[in-house]
Amino acid sequence: MALMSDYRPPVDDLAFVLKHIANYDDIAALPGLEHADFDTVHGLLEEAGAFISEVVAPLNVASDKEGSQRQPDGSVKTPTGFKDAYRKYVDAGWGSLPFTETYGGGNFPWAVGLAIQEMLTSASMGFALCPLLTQGAIDAILAYGSEEQKQTYLPKMISGEWTGTMNLTEPHAGTDVGALTTKAVKRDDGTYSISGQKIFISYGEHDLAEQIVHLVLARTPDAPAGTKGISCFIVPKYHVNDDGSPGEKNGVKALSLEHKLGIHGSPTCVLEYDDATGYLIGEENMGMRIMFIMMNNARLSVGLQGVALAERAYQASVDYAVERIQGRAIGAQKDSPIIDFPDVRRMLMTQKATIAAMRRLMYLNAGHMDVSHFHPDEKVRERASEIVGLLTPICKGWGTDMGFELTSTALQVFGGMGYIEETGVAQHLRDVRITAIYEGTNGAQAADLVGRKLGVRNGSSVLEFLEQVGAVDAELEAAGDEFASIRSNFSAQFDALGKATKWMFLNGPGDPNAVLAGSSPYQRMWGLVLGGWLMARSALAARGTDRAEQEFVLAKFYAEQILPQASGLLGAVTAGADDLFALDAKQLGAAV
C-alpha cells in the first residue's frame, strides 16, 4: 500500500476558477495584459504544474526530516535538493511572471502568479516561502523605493537571483509592531546605521541566492512613539558594488534558527543587526504604510497556503481511502475500501467542497487586485481596491482556519496511520498550523475587518458588496427547481450575515469591545457565506459543460451541509464582551 501520494496540480480547477470566478477574460483585456490571454495562461499553468510536481514536490518529505541547518560560521544550509531546485525555478522564470516588465518581469496578472504560488506551496511549503517573502519586499520597493533603489535591487529580485525578507517582529514586539526598538541612526553620507534584533525572519539567511535584501523596520532617534515613528530600510546582506555585484558583508548575521513545529525546510532566523548599513525607503516615519504594502499581498498568499496544504492533504486522504481495505460496507460481498463508508465520504466531500470554496474566494480577490492595478478608469480601480481591502482579512483568516481544520480531517481519514509520520499527512498538519499566526494573527484580521473595513465610506462600501453577492438569488431562481435547495440555503445564511453586519454597525461606535468580541465568528460567517455564493456561481457557470455534475454536486453539498454553520455563529457574533471579562485571571485558572 502506497502511503504517500504524489502531488497532482489541480490545473483544470485553477483554470475554471480563473475564467468563471476571477473573470479572467476581462482581466486579460486590460491595457498591458493583452499578451496574457486565457489559452496562453492555461498552457503556462500546465507547464508550471509539471515542473513543480517533478522538481519541487519530491523534496517535501526529506526536507522536513533534514531541515535547514545553521553552520559554525553563521551561514545556513538549506535541505538537500533545495539549491538545485531553486536554480531551476529561477532559470525557468516562474517567479518573475506577475511582476512588471520594466524590471524584467513577465507582466502577467497577479491571479496567474497566485496560481503558480498555490501549486508551489502544495508541493513544498518550506521551499515556497522563499519566493513568497521576496514578493513582499519587491512590492514595497516598487511602491516607495527611489529609482536608484529600484534599478539596483528589482531586476535581480524579480528574476529570483536575489531574495528578500520582511523584518518586523522583535522578541517583545509581535503584533504590536509599534513597540519595536531597532535603531536607525543617520550618517553623514545619507545612509543609516541599523542596530537591533529581529526574530521569526523566514529565509533571513540561506544558500539559495548570492544576495538577500532585508527590509527592516526601525526607529530613528527623534521619532514619535508607537507606530507613527517607524521607518523602513533596505539592508542588503552584502554591500552592492558599483557594477551591481555583491561586495563586502554588511553588519547582519543569523544568531540562530528557530526549532519549529513544522516547515522545517524553511530557515526561520533570529537576525542581529550591528551597525549595518541601511538605506531609507520613502521618508522617515513612513514605515507602517510601507509595511502594509509588504503584508497585504502576503496576507492573501498566506490564506492561499491554507488552500494549498488542505489540497495536498486531501489528495493523500482520498488516495488512502481508495486503497485502505477495512470492514464491509452495507450490501458489500467482501471487505471494502473505506471510501465506501458514509462517514469517510462525508469527510472527503467536506474537504473537496470547502477547498473549492476557499480557492474561489482567493482568486476572486486576486482578480480584483488586478483590476485595481491595471484598469484605466480610476473609479473602477478604487472600487476594486475597496473590495480587496474587505476580502483580504477574510481570505487570510477563513482560509487558514479552514486549512488547518481540513488538514486535520484528512488525517482523520487515515485513522491511526495518519498519526504516524511515515504516511506524510502529519507533516501537512504541522506545516499549515503557522498560517493562522503569521502575517497578522487571525484575531488581528478579524479586528481589521470590523474596525477598519466595515467603516469604509461610512459602511457604503460593504453594503454595496453585499448587494452584489445577494444578486445571485435571481440567477438561482431563474435556474429552476434543480437549484432550489442551493437557493433556499444560501438565502437563509445570507440573511444571517446581513443581521450580523447590521449589529456590527449599530454597536461598533458605542461598544468597540463588543464588536471585537464577536469579530472572529463574524469573520468566519463571511467566509462561509462568500464560499456558498461562489460555489453557487460555479454551478451556474458550469451548466452545459463537462464540469456540470461535479460543480452542481459540490455546490449543493456545500449549501446543505457546510453553509448552515453560518447562522449558528450569529449568537457568538452578537453576544458582546461581558461574559468574556466576567471571570478574573485567577478564576480562569492562571497561576497568579
Side-chain angles (χ1 to χ4, degrees):
M1 179 182 294
L3 295 180
M4 286 182 287
S5 297
D6 293 333
Y7 171 57
R8 300 182 295 278
V11 172
D12 287 345
D13 197 50
L14 288 170
F16 178 87
V17 173
L18 286 175
K19 191 171 186 68
H20 297 290
I21 301 299
N23 298 320
Y24 189 82
D25 288 338
D26 292 341
I27 294 171
L30 294 173
L33 297 177
E34 297 89 349
H35 63 291
D37 61 275
F38 180 75
D39 289 341
T40 298
V41 165
H42 197 173
L44 279 174
L45 293 183
E46 289 179 334
E47 290 182 36
F51 172 87
I52 289 166
S53 62
E54 293 167 10
V55 176
V56 180
L59 303 174
N60 195 47
V61 174
S63 67
D64 178 64
K65 296 176 180 177
E66 180 182 349
S68 286
Q69 304 292 332
R70 184 179 180 274
Q71 305 302 299
D73 64 357
S75 64
V76 171
K77 182 181 182 297
T78 54
T80 302
F82 267 33
K83 195 171 183 177
D84 180 60
Y86 185 75
R87 178 50 47 198
K88 291 176 180 176
Y89 172 81
V90 171
D91 290 345
W94 294 121
S96 66
L97 275 179
F99 294 107
T100 174
E101 60 188 351
T102 304
Y103 302 103
N107 213 56
F108 276 74
W110 183 243
V112 176
L114 204 69
I116 294 172
Q117 192 178 96
E118 178 187 334
M119 293 188 286
L120 195 69
T121 302
S122 287
S124 174
M125 182 174 165
F127 180 90
L129 276 167
C130 185
L132 190 157
L133 272 297
T134 303
Q135 156 202 316
I138 290 170
D139 289 338
I141 296 173
L142 272 172
Y144 288 101
S146 67
E147 188 54 39
E148 181 182 2
Q149 289 170 341
K150 292 176 182 178
Q151 293 291 349
T152 299
Y153 296 103
L154 289 181
K156 291 190 176 182
M157 293 177 72
I158 286 173
S159 72
E161 295 170 83
W162 293 0
T163 65
T165 70
M166 298 187 290
N167 283 235
L168 315 178
T169 307
E170 298 180 8
H172 58 284
T175 302
D176 183 13
V177 177
L180 66 82
T181 59
T182 296
K183 296 178 181 179
V185 179
K186 193 170 185 177
R187 298 169 176 159
D188 292 340
D189 64 358
T191 66
Y192 288 74
S193 170
I194 310 295
S195 298
Q197 189 178 108
K198 297 289 184 177
I199 63 171
F200 303 156
I201 309 304
S202 298
Y203 279 90
E205 175 61 37
H206 61 82
D207 59 358
L208 302 186
E210 62 179 3
Q211 173 75 290
I212 304 173
V213 182
H214 302 292
L215 265 64
V216 183
L217 295 188
R219 190 181 299 280
T220 55
D222 299 323
T227 56
K228 293 181 180 180
I230 296 173
S231 301
C232 186
F233 302 87
I234 296 173
V235 186
K237 176 181 175 180
Y238 295 102
H239 295 283
V240 181
N241 294 323
D242 291 341
D243 65 357
S245 63
E248 295 182 359
K249 183 81 163 58
N250 204 351
V252 55
K253 64 179 180 181
L255 296 181
S256 63
L257 298 185
E258 304 290 1
H259 300 281
K260 302 169 299 193
L261 177 68
I263 50 171
H264 296 148
S266 168
T268 303
C269 302
V270 176
L271 293 184
E272 181 181 63
Y273 293 87
D274 183 10
D275 192 27
T277 298
Y279 305 88
L280 180 68
I281 304 180
E283 300 174 3
E284 289 188 6
N285 305 326
M286 285 180 58
M288 285 299 290
R289 194 181 308 174
I290 297 170
M291 184 195 78
F292 280 113
I293 290 289
M294 289 191 284
M295 292 189 71
N296 274 338
N297 274 11
R299 285 174 172 173
L300 175 57
S301 294
V302 171
L304 190 74
Q305 287 179 335
V307 179
L309 269 294
E311 170 70 34
R312 186 73 188 269
Y314 168 71
Q315 290 185 13
S317 69
V318 72
D319 288 352
Y320 183 77
V322 170
E323 295 179 4
R324 174 62 164 161
I325 306 298
Q326 181 170 279
R328 189 168 294 183
I330 301 298
Q333 301 303 309
K334 60 181 181 179
D335 287 351
S336 307
I338 63 173
I339 198 171
D340 290 347
F341 292 89
D343 191 57
V344 173
R345 283 279 180 157
R346 176 192 61 80
M347 290 189 285
L348 294 174
M349 284 292 289
T350 297
Q351 290 177 79
K352 188 171 180 62
T354 309
I355 290 166
M358 293 157 63
R359 179 176 289 130
R360 281 148 181 75
L361 181 59
M362 303 298 155
Y363 291 96
L364 175 77
N365 196 351
H368 283 294
M369 280 185 172
D370 285 318
V371 172
S372 74
H373 291 147
F374 291 101
H375 202 283
D377 188 322
E378 182 179 2
K379 289 185 178 180
V380 175
R381 293 197 306 271
E382 289 176 354
R383 179 57 184 152
S385 184
E386 283 184 358
I387 295 174
V388 170
L390 173 66
L391 293 181
T392 296
I394 302 167
C395 284
K396 199 281 183 181
W398 187 60
T400 59
D401 279 345
M402 296 313 302
F404 180 74
E405 292 180 24
L406 294 173
T407 306
S408 181
T409 300
L411 190 149
Q412 185 73 18
V413 171
F414 277 79
M417 286 292 183
Y419 207 65
I420 306 301
E421 289 287 351
E422 283 78 3
T423 61
V425 71
Q427 180 191 345
H428 305 319
L429 188 71
R430 289 187 285 101
D431 286 352
V432 77
R433 185 61 186 89
I434 186 59
T435 60
I437 299 171
Y438 62 14
E439 298 302 336
T441 64
N442 286 357
Q445 306 303 317
D448 175 53
L449 175 63
V450 301
R452 294 188 181 94
K453 304 307 167 54
L454 289 188
V456 173
R457 289 196 284 117
N458 295 317
S460 295
S461 179
V462 69
L463 293 177
E464 289 170 12
F465 183 69
L466 283 172
E467 185 177 356
Q468 177 185 341
V469 173
V472 78
D473 181 74
E475 296 180 63
L476 292 170
E477 181 181 24
D481 292 343
E482 183 184 18
F483 283 78
S485 176
I486 295 174
R487 183 188 178 208
S488 62
N489 278 282
F490 176 76
S491 178
Q493 303 309 312
F494 180 71
D495 287 348
L497 177 61
K499 291 177 182 177
T501 301
K502 182 179 180 180
W503 187 90
M504 288 285 172
F505 281 139
L506 290 173
N507 289 274
D511 194 353
N513 256 358
V515 297
L516 289 170
S519 61
S520 286
Y522 179 64
Q523 179 174 255
R524 180 167 289 214
M525 283 186 79
W526 267 100
L528 287 163
V529 172
L530 292 181
W533 171 52
L534 297 174
M535 293 299 285
R537 281 182 52 187
S538 293
L540 290 166
R543 287 176 296 175
T545 74
D546 59 0
R547 294 181 65 95
E549 181 180 20
Q550 174 176 309
E551 296 296 333
F552 177 78
V553 170
L554 288 175
K556 186 170 182 287
F557 178 87
Y558 187 97
E560 294 177 350
Q561 301 197 37
I562 298 173
L563 184 55
Q565 298 169 23
S567 58
L569 294 167
L570 185 59
V573 172
T574 60
D578 290 350
D579 288 345
L580 303 185
F581 294 95
L583 303 180
D584 60 26
K586 184 176 181 180
Q587 289 173 306
L588 286 171
V592 295

